[in-house]
C-alpha cells in the first residue's frame, strides 16, 4: 500500500485540480485546468525547447559550482584552521540571494549567457564548498591517525579522504541542483536571454498574457525535471553511500 | 650492492667513517659508497639537508641542530662522538711566543676559529663566561690556512680541532692556551660532540640500507674504541698531507654505538644549548616528528623512560602519569589494567605518539625498527575504517596497496585463525567483526610493537577465547612486543605475561608495584572476583590482593 501511496496522492491532487477548475471554483485566469495544461505540454514542442535551454544553463552553472566547490571545499577542509578563517565569509556569501548579484553579472557579461550561468555558480558554489569542507572536517581523527601511523602514501591518503568525503560532495550536489534550477528560472524571468529560449521568460510572458495553461505547463516541466533529477541522485546516493 | 652518497669531513671527528671505509665495513653490509669529502662539517650538513648526499658525518651537534631548525628537514642520528678529559676534540691554541695565560687575557685580541656554526657558538659561550663578549675580534679561518694564521700572528689564538690542532702543537707553531679544556669547562663535561646523520627521506625509502648502515657504523665505532692506534692510522688516506705524520700523536677518540646514544642524551645537550644561548629554539618538535629509531636499551623492543603526560582541560591541567618507566620484551604481552578514567588509554596513545608527552621518552630500540612497524588498535576501531572500501581494501590501504598485500592478508588471516569475510564493507559488519578486522590489519603490518586498546571488548563469548588464543600465539611466535589496555580480568589472565596496575591518577612507576610476572598472581582468586558479575569490579581490592601477593 505504502508503495502506491505517492502515486495515489498524485492522482488525488490531479483529480482535485480537475474538480476545482471544472466547477470554476478558482478563476481560469488564475488556475488553468489539468487537461489544458497537459495539452500544452504534449502538443507544444516549444516548451521543451525553452526547458532544454533553461536546464542547460542550470546544469552548466551547477557543474562548475560542483567541481569548483568540491575541489576548493576539499582543499579548505584539509587546511583546517584556514577553514575556520574563511567560514564566516562563505556563510556571508551564502546568505546573499544570488538574484541580487544577477544585475552585476548581466553588465559584466554584456547581457550574454554567462550572466545566467555565473549567477547559478554564485548561488551554488558557497553551499557546495561549505558542505564538502565540513564533510572533510568530519573525517574521524581515528582514520587520520591511522593513515599517519602507517605512513600511508600521500596520494593514497588524499584519495582515501576524497572517497570518504564523496557522500558529502554528493549531498552538496543534490542540495544545489534544485537550487540551480530555481536560480536559472528566476534570472530568466527578470531578463530574457538573447536567444529568447528560456522557461522562466516563457512562464513570465504567459503570466502577463493570462495564458495560464502555458504558465502551469512551464511550472510542471521544470518541477518534473527537478523531481526526477533528485530521485535519480537520491537513488545513486543510497546505492553507493548508504 | 646498494649505492649511497656519503659525505664526511677531512677532520678527525670522521674517524669511524674512515675506519668503515678502510676495513670494508660498508661493503660488508651491502653498501656501495659514493664518497664526498668536505673541509669542515658545515658544508657537509648543508649538502645533506639539500639532498646532495644521503648520509653524512660526523657533525657537531650545534651544526646539526641549526641545520634542522633552519630547514625544518628531518634527520636520523646514528652513534655519538663524545669529548671528555681523556678524549679531547676541541683546542684553544695560542702562538708559541704568546704570553697570554687566561681566556680573559684575550681582551682586544683576534681569535681564529674553524668556520662552523659550532665553533662560533661555542666560542661565544666561552667568551661570554669570561666577560669578553664584545672585546675580541673573531675571524673564520679554513682548516688549510690555520697553521699559517697562528704562526704568522694573523690571529692571537685559534679555536679548532684535529688534525690541525695536534699538528700545530707538534710542529711548535702554537701551544695549548692553558692546561684546561675550555670547551669542557664552559659548555659541558663530558660533551656529546656530534653524531652521524641520515636524511629521513633516504632512510624511509631504504629501511634495509639504513639498518645496514647502522650496523656498519656500530662496528666501526667498536673498532675505533677498542683499537684507537690502528684506527688513527686509517685517517692518513683522508686528511691533508701536512697532517699525516702526526696522526699517532692525536688523542684517542670515544664514540657511542647507536644503541648507546639515547634520546635523553641529545635532549640534555639541547637543554644545555638552549640555556647557554647556543640554540635560540628547540629542534625537538622536528626530531620528535621523525621518531627516534635507534634509541633505548638493548633487549626490549619498547622502552619507556620517565614518561610524564597530562590532559589540558580549558585552563586546568590534569597530570595523568608521571615518571613512568618500563620495557617490553619481544614476544611479551603487557596488560594495562585499571578503572575507567585512570589514564590507561592516554598512556597507550602516548606510546603510539598520538598524545604529546610532557617529558620522558618512548623508545623503540631494535635496530631497523621503522615507525610503520608500530601497530595500534584504537578503542574507536569502528571509526578507523573507511566506509567506501571493503575490509580487505581497508587493510590494503594501510599497506600502501603493496603488490603482495593480498597474499600477506590471506597468510596473516590464516595464521591468526580468524573467520572473516574480507569482501564486506565496514557498514555491513558487526562490532566484533570490525574489531577482528582491526587486529588483522594491525598484524598485516608485520609490527615489532603492537598496541591495542580493549582489543577483545566487542567479541562474542564463543569467539573471544579463540581470538585471544590465536592473538597470544601470533604475538609470541612473531616476537612482537604487545601492550594492551584491558578491562576484563579474564582477558588479562588469558593473554598477559605482565601487568601494569593503574589505580587513580597521576600514576607513576612507584605506584606500579603490581607490575610483576603474572605467574605470581593467584589466578583462581582473580577469576573468582571476575565471576561476581553482579557486583562492579573492585579495583582497589584486586590491586591490594596483587600487591600483597607480589
Amino acid at each position: 500500500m505504502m508503495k502506491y501511496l505517492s502515486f495515489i496522492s498524485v492522482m488525488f491532487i490531479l483529480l482535485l485540480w480537475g474538480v476545482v477548475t471544472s466547477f470554476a471554483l478558482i478563476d481560469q485566469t488564475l488556475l488553468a485546468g489539468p487537461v489544458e495544461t497537459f495539452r500544452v505540454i504534449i502538443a507544444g514542442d516549444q516548451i521543451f525547447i525553452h526547458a532544454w535551454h533553461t536546464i542547460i544553463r542550470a546544469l552548466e552553472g551547477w557543474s562548475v559550482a560542483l567541481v569548483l566547490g568540491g575541489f576548493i571545499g576539499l582543499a579548505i577542509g584539509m587546511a583546517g584552521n584556514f577553514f575556520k578563517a574563511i567560514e564566516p565569509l562563505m556563510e556571508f556569501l551564502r546568505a546573499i540571494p544570488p538574484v541580487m548579484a544577477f544585475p552585476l553579472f548581466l553588465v559584466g557579461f554584456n547581457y550574454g549567457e554567462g550572466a545566467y550561468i555565473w549567477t547559478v555558480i554564485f548561488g551554488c558554489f558557497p553551499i557546495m564548498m561549505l558542505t564538502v569542507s565540513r564533510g572533510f572536517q568530519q573525517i574521524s581523527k581515528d582514520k587520520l591517525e591511522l593513515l599517519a601511523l602507517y605512513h600511508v602514501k600521500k596520494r593514497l591518503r588524499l584519495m582515501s579522504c576524497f572517497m570518504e568525503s564523496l557522500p558529502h560532495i554528493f549531498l552538496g550536489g543534490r542540495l544545489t541542483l534544485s537550487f540551480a534550477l530555481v536560480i536559472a528560472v528566476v534570472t530568466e524571468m527578470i531578463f530574457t536571454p538573447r536567444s529568447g529560449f528560456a522557461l522562466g521568460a516563457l512562464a513570465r510572458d504567459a503570466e502577463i498574457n493570462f495564458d495560464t495553461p502555458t504558465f502551469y505547463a512551464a511550472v510542471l516541466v521544470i518541477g518534473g525535471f527537478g523531481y526526477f533529477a533528485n530521485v535519480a541522485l537520491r537513488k545513486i546516493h543510497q546505492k553507493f553511500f548508504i | 650492492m646498494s649505492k649511497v652518497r656519503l659525505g664526511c669531513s677531512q677532520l678527525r671527528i670522521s674517524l669511524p667513517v674512515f675506519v668503515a671505509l678502510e676495513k670494508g665495513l660498508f661493503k660488508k653490509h651491502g653498501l656501495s659508497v659514493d664518497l664526498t669529502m668536505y673541509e669542515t662539517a658545515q658544508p657537509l650538513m648543508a649538502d645533506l639537508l639539500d639532498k646532495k648526499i644521503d648520509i653524512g658525518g660526523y657533525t657537531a651537534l650545534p651544526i646539526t641542530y641549526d641545520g634542522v631548525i633552519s630547514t625544518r628537514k628531518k634527520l636520523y642520528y646514528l652513534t655519538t662522538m663524545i669529548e671528555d678529559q681523556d678524549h679531547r676534540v676541541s683546542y684553544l691554541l695560542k702562538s708559541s711566543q704568546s704570553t697570554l695565560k687566561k681566556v680573559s687575557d684575550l681582551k682586544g685580541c683576534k681569535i681564529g676559529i674553524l668556520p662552523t656554526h659550532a665553533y662560533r657558538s661555542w666560542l661565544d659561550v666561552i667568551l661570554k663566561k669570561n666577560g669578553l663578549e664584545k672585546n675580541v675580534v673573531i675571524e673564520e679561518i679554513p682548516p688549510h690556512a690555520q697553521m699559517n694564521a697562528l704562526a704568522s700572528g694573523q690571529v692571537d689564538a685559534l679555536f679548532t680541532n684535529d688534525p690541525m690542532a695536534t699538528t700545530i702543537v707538534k710542529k711548535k707553531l702554537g701551544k695549548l692556551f692553558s692546561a684546561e679544556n675550555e670547551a669542557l669547562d664552559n659548555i659541558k663535561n663530558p660533551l656529546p660532540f656530534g653524531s652521524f646523520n641520515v636524511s629521513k627521506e633516504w632512510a624511509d625509502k631504504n629501511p634495509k640500507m639504513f639498518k645496514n648502515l647502522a650496523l656498519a657504523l656500530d662496528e666501526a665505532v667498536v673498532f675505533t674504541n677498542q683499537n684507537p692506534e690502528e684506527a688513527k692510522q686509517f685517517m692518513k688516506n683522508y686528511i691533508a698531507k701536512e697532517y699525516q705524520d702526526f696522526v699517532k700523536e692525536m688523542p684517542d677518540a670515544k664514540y657511542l654505538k647507536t644503541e648507546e646514544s639515547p634520546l635523553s642524551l641529545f635532549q640534555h645537550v639541547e637543554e644545555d644549548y638552549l640555556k647557554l644561548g647556543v640554540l635560540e629554539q628547540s629542534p625537538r618538535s622536528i626530531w620528535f616528528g621523525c621518531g627516534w629509531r635507534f634509541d633505548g636499551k638493548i633487549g626490549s623492543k619498547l622502552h619507556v623512560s620517565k614518561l610524564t603526560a597530562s590532559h589540558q582541560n580549558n585552563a586546568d591541567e590534569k597530570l595523568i602519569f608521571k615518571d613512568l618507566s618500563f620495557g617490553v620484551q619481544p614476544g611479551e604481552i603487557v596488560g594495562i589494567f585499571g578503572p575507567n578514567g585512570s589514564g590507561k588509554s592516554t598512556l597507550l596513545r602516548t606510546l603510539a605518539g598520538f598524545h604529546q608527552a610532557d617529558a620522558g621518552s618512548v623508545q623503540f630500540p631494535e635496530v631497523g625498527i621503522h615507525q610503520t612497524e608500530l601497530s595500534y588498535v584504537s578503542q574507536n576501531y569502528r571509526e578507523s575504517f573507511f566506509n567506501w572500501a571493503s575490509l580487505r581494501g581497508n587493510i590494503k590501504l594501510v599497506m600502501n596497496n603493496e603488490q603482495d598485500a593480498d597474499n600477506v592478508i590471506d597468510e596473516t588471516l590464516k595464521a591468526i585463525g580468524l573467520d572473516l569475510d574480507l569482501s564486506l564493507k565496514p557498514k555491513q559488519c558487526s562490532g566484533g567483526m570490525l574489531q577482528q578486522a582491526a587486529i588483522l590489519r594491525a598484524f598485516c603490518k608485520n609490527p615489532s610493537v603492537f598496541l591495542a586498546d580493549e582489543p577483545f571488548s566487542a567479541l562474542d563469548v564463543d569467539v573471544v577465547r579463540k581470538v585471544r588464543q590465536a592473538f597470544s600465539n601470533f604475538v609470541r611466535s612473531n616476537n612482537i612486543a604487545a601492550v594492551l589496555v584491558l578491562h576484563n580480568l579474564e582477558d588479562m589472565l588469558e593473554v598477559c605475561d605482565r601487568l601494569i596496575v593503574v589505580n587513580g591518577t597521576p600514576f607513576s612507576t612507584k605506584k606500579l608495584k603490581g607490575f610483576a610476572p603474572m605467574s605470581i598472581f593467584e589466578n583462581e582468586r582473580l577469576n573468582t572476583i571476575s565471576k561476581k558479575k553482579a557486583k562492579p569490579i573492585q579495583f582497589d581490592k584486586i590491586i591490594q590482593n596483587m600487591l600483597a601477593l607480589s
Side-chain angles (χ1 to χ4, degrees), chain A residues 140 142-143 145 151 153 164, chain B residues 349 378 383 385 388 400:
Chain A
S140 78
D142 297 270
K143 289 187 182 72
E145 283 178 351
H151 292 265
K153 286 175 188 164
E164 200 66 5
Chain B
R349 286 183 61 76
S378 153
E383 288 299 314
F385 283 93
W388 52 269
N400 277 314

Side-chain angles (χ1 to χ4, degrees), chain B residues 29 78 207-216 218 257-260 292-301 364-370 373 448:
Chain B
H29 288 283
L78 305 175
K208 270 189 188 166
M209 284 169 76
F210 185 28
K211 181 180 174 180
N212 289 340
L213 169 70
L215 293 172
D218 277 351
K257 287 203 297 181
T258 300
E259 63 195 22
E260 296 162 343
W292 206 269
R293 294 179 180 219
F294 295 108
D295 199 9
K297 286 185 180 172
I298 307 160
S300 63
K301 280 202 170 184
F364 305 99
E366 184 176 280
V367 172
I369 192 166
H370 188 281
E373 290 176 31
S448 285

Side-chain angles (χ1 to χ4, degrees), chain A residues 113-124:
Chain A
E113 285 289 320
Y116 300 88
I117 293 165
W118 277 94
T119 310
V120 173
I121 296 169
F122 179 78
C124 297

Side-chain angles (χ1 to χ4, degrees), chain A residues 10-242:
Chain A
V10 170
M11 286 297 123
F12 176 74
I13 290 167
L14 283 175
L15 188 69
L16 188 69
W17 182 11
V19 170
V20 166
T21 49
S22 300
F23 291 98
L25 296 175
I26 295 176
D27 193 336
Q28 287 271 341
T29 55
L30 282 178
L31 183 66
V35 178
E36 294 84 353
T37 304
F38 281 105
R39 194 175 289 148
V40 173
I41 295 172
I42 295 161
D45 53 348
Q46 282 290 308
I47 197 164
F48 287 106
I49 296 171
H50 284 280
W52 172 254
H53 280 82
T54 300
I55 289 165
I56 290 297
R57 276 180 206 113
L59 287 181
E60 278 183 20
W62 177 75
S63 311
V64 175
L66 193 74
V67 174
L68 268 183
F71 277 106
I72 296 176
L74 275 178
I76 290 171
M78 276 190 283
N81 287 335
F82 184 62
F83 170 73
K84 284 175 193 160
I86 69 148
E87 193 184 14
L89 175 71
M90 283 299 125
E91 288 287 2
F92 174 76
L93 286 177
R94 196 171 67 123
I96 300 173
V99 176
M100 282 180 79
F102 181 54
L104 288 175
F105 285 121
L106 268 180
V107 176
F109 287 93
N110 196 22
Y111 298 86
E113 285 289 320
Y116 300 88
I117 293 165
W118 277 94
T119 310
V120 173
I121 296 169
F122 179 78
C124 297
F125 169 76
I127 302 172
M128 189 67 205
M129 202 206 68
L130 283 169
T131 312
V132 174
S133 52
R134 283 207 185 115
F136 198 93
Q137 297 250 306
Q138 279 167 16
I139 295 175
S140 78
K141 199 173 78 176
D142 297 270
K143 289 187 182 72
L144 299 176
E145 283 178 351
L146 187 92
L147 295 175
L149 178 78
Y150 292 130
H151 292 265
V152 174
K153 286 175 188 164
K154 271 186 188 167
R155 178 177 53 81
L156 284 176
R157 280 191 212 195
L158 199 66
M159 188 273 288
S160 310
C161 293
F162 174 77
M163 292 296 287
E164 200 66 5
S165 306
L166 216 52
H168 295 276
I169 296 174
F170 215 82
L171 179 68
R174 267 181 66 196
L175 288 174
T176 47
L177 180 63
S178 46
F179 195 44
L181 282 170
V182 170
I183 297 169
V185 171
V186 171
T187 49
E188 287 166 358
M189 288 177 91
I190 293 170
F191 189 83
T192 309
R194 280 186 187 148
S195 66
F197 294 115
L199 205 62
L202 181 78
R204 183 201 58 203
D205 293 345
E207 196 184 7
I208 292 168
N209 297 324
F210 297 103
D211 181 6
T212 43
T214 303
F215 175 77
Y216 284 102
V219 170
L220 280 184
V221 167
I222 200 71
F225 176 79
Y227 172 78
F228 286 113
N230 194 43
V231 165
L233 288 175
R234 197 174 62 211
K235 292 271 181 203
I236 297 170
H237 191 214
Q238 282 169 344
K239 183 168 172 62
F240 292 103
F241 303 120
I242 293 174

Side-chain angles (χ1 to χ4, degrees), chain B residues 105-396:
Chain B
D105 295 340
L106 282 165
K107 192 174 179 180
C109 293
K110 190 187 260 189
I111 307 174
I113 58 164
L114 194 69
T116 68
H117 179 76
Y119 277 82
R120 176 67 204 226
S121 53
W122 284 334
L123 183 63
D124 284 345
V125 173
I126 295 168
L127 295 175
K128 196 174 168 186
K129 286 200 170 180
N130 289 277
L132 291 175
E133 282 169 283
K134 293 170 188 170
N135 300 312
V136 291
V137 176
I138 297 169
E139 187 179 338
E140 290 190 345
I141 299 175
H144 66 267
Q146 290 188 348
M147 272 198 295
N148 277 342
L150 191 65
S152 65
Q154 180 189 334
V155 292
D156 303 298
L158 181 66
F159 187 44
T160 188
N161 66 15
D162 276 326
M164 295 78 71
T166 299
T167 308
I168 288 170
V169 172
K170 293 300 165 192
K171 279 190 168 179
K172 297 199 165 103
L173 300 171
K175 55 187 176 183
L176 285 175
F177 198 87
S178 67
E180 309 301 321
N181 182 326
E182 291 78 11
L184 294 180
D185 291 350
N186 291 284
I187 299 162
K188 191 176 171 70
N189 187 9
L191 174 70
F193 185 94
S195 62
F196 188 90
N197 317 296
V198 178
S199 113
K200 182 178 185 294
E201 199 179 324
W202 179 84
D204 288 348
K205 276 184 193 161
N206 306 284
K208 270 189 188 166
M209 284 169 76
F210 185 28
K211 181 180 174 180
N212 289 340
L213 169 70
L215 293 172
L217 277 176
D218 277 351
E219 268 190 54
V221 160
V222 170
F223 181 88
T224 306
N225 290 343
Q226 289 177 353
N227 309 283
E229 295 307 321
E230 207 179 327
K232 280 185 273 183
Q233 291 299 322
F234 288 142
M235 272 172 62
K236 280 186 175 175
N237 295 336
Y238 302 93
I239 58 175
K241 208 174 173 187
E242 64 259 40
Y243 310 128
Q244 287 175 1
D245 292 342
F246 303 97
V247 292
K248 252 184 156 181
E249 321 290 337
M250 290 175 200
D252 293 347
K254 183 180 177 182
Y255 291 86
L256 300 178
K257 287 203 297 181
T258 300
E259 63 195 22
E260 296 162 343
S261 308
L263 174 61
S264 54
L265 182 145
F266 293 90
Q267 284 177 336
H268 289 148
V269 178
E270 178 211 320
E271 281 161 17
D272 289 335
Y273 282 169
L274 284 167
K275 278 181 208 158
L276 291 168
V278 172
L279 291 179
E280 285 177 2
Q281 67 177 95
S282 167
R284 193 172 295 184
S285 59
I286 301 163
W287 75 41
F288 266 163
C290 66
W292 206 269
R293 294 179 180 219
F294 295 108
D295 199 9
K297 286 185 180 172
I298 307 160
S300 63
K301 280 202 170 184
L302 171 67
H303 184 75
V304 178
S305 176
K306 293 192 169 183
L307 197 66
T308 300
S310 52
H311 266 310
Q312 191 83 36
N313 288 326
N314 299 324
D316 299 329
E317 194 174 271
K318 187 187 174 192
L319 192 62
I320 306 295
F321 48 83
K322 191 171 186 284
D323 291 340
L324 196 63
S325 300
F326 64 92
V328 186
Q329 305 296 318
E332 186 183 29
I333 304 173
V334 170
I336 306 173
F337 180 67
N340 286 331
S342 56
K344 305 183 298 291
S345 297
T346 305
L347 171 58
L348 209 66
R349 286 183 61 76
T350 311
L351 299 182
F354 297 143
H355 184 87
Q356 180 77 49
D358 298 336
S361 61
V362 178
Q363 303 154 6
F364 305 99
E366 184 176 280
V367 172
I369 192 166
H370 188 281
Q371 272 202 321
T372 53
E373 290 176 31
L374 170 72
S375 279
Y376 175 72
V377 176
S378 153
Q379 200 174 15
N380 300 324
Y381 56 88
R382 283 170 185 273
E383 288 299 314
S384 68
F385 283 93
F386 287 93
N387 294 313
W388 52 269
S390 64
L391 295 181
R392 184 179 287 274
N394 269 280
I395 299 171
K396 283 171 81 173

